[in-house]
Amino acid sequence: MESGKKVQEFFKEKRKQLNLTQPELAKKAGVGLRFIREVEQGKTSMRVDKVNQVLKLFGYELGPVLVKRDKTDL
Amino acid sequence: MESGKKVQEFFKEKRKQLNLTQPELAKKAGVGLRFIREVEQGKTSMRVDKVNQVLKLFGYELGPVLVKRDKTDL
DNA sequence: ATAAATTATACCATAATGGGTATAATTTCG
DNA sequence: CGAAATTATACCCATTATGGTATAATTTAT
């Protein structure tokens, strides 16, 4: 699993925490419904600014994070 | 300044830490030279997977980070 | 100051994102 | 178990990101 699930999972989790449906989140964030769906479905080639439009609702934004090496691959 | 300088600055800093030119970084990361340039120039609409191709060289990847509220807007 | 190296800007072509939407599949719940 | 809500898949299309490259501008170094 080359990671990439980060944003995907984050969207789902935060969205449900706020009890929003995909259409509701899309509307609130000002992005298309298709975008929300594709990201939650695991797409990794979406645009950074679009992701940030959504993360902003959660009080987050995309940034470089240190990749934690798993004990298994040392 | 709605942020957005994060990746831009990160690229520049890390690249210089490794003493790489833009063409060298582009080649190592497997992305186009234009991509490196546009990001370092402040573009915010680039693709997440492309950014990650570069961040990977530095041991980083894009992820949701909490937006720290500045004292000025409290 | 001049030459060399690095970075910035501009143009073209291609491929793919994102939006919209209709429909199917799945989940939720009464 | 069936109806309603939610989510997943598929298609069309306009916009745009990306790559390549040539050239200009800027920076670095001698």
Side-chain angles (χ1 to χ4, degrees), chain B residues 32 34-35 45-47:
Chain B
R34 272 238 347 254
F35 177 75
S45 55
M46 59 296 186
R47 284 168 43 171

Side-chain angles (χ1 to χ4, degrees), chain A residues 47-60:
Chain A
R47 283 167 45 171
V48 171
D49 59 340
K50 291 290 172 188
V51 175
N52 280 332
Q53 266 183 262
V54 178
L55 290 183
K56 193 171 185 178
L57 290 181
F58 306 143
Y60 285 76

Side-chain angles (χ1 to χ4, degrees), chain B residues 22-33:
Chain B
Q22 291 175 338
E24 289 170 340
L25 177 60
K27 186 177 179 184
K28 272 184 179 282
V31 301
L33 174 55

Side-chain angles (χ1 to χ4, degrees), chain B residues 14-51:
Chain B
K14 288 291 179 185
R15 178 168 67 76
K16 294 189 176 176
Q17 280 180 24
L18 301 184
N19 275 81
L20 295 175
T21 64
Q22 291 175 338
E24 289 170 340
L25 177 60
K27 186 177 179 184
K28 272 184 179 282
V31 301
L33 174 55
R34 272 238 347 254
F35 177 75
I36 299 292
R37 285 174 176 163
E38 292 184 336
V39 172
E40 291 198 1
Q41 221 56 31
K43 187 175 197 172
T44 61
S45 55
M46 59 296 186
R47 284 168 43 171
V48 171
D49 59 339
K50 291 292 171 187
V51 174

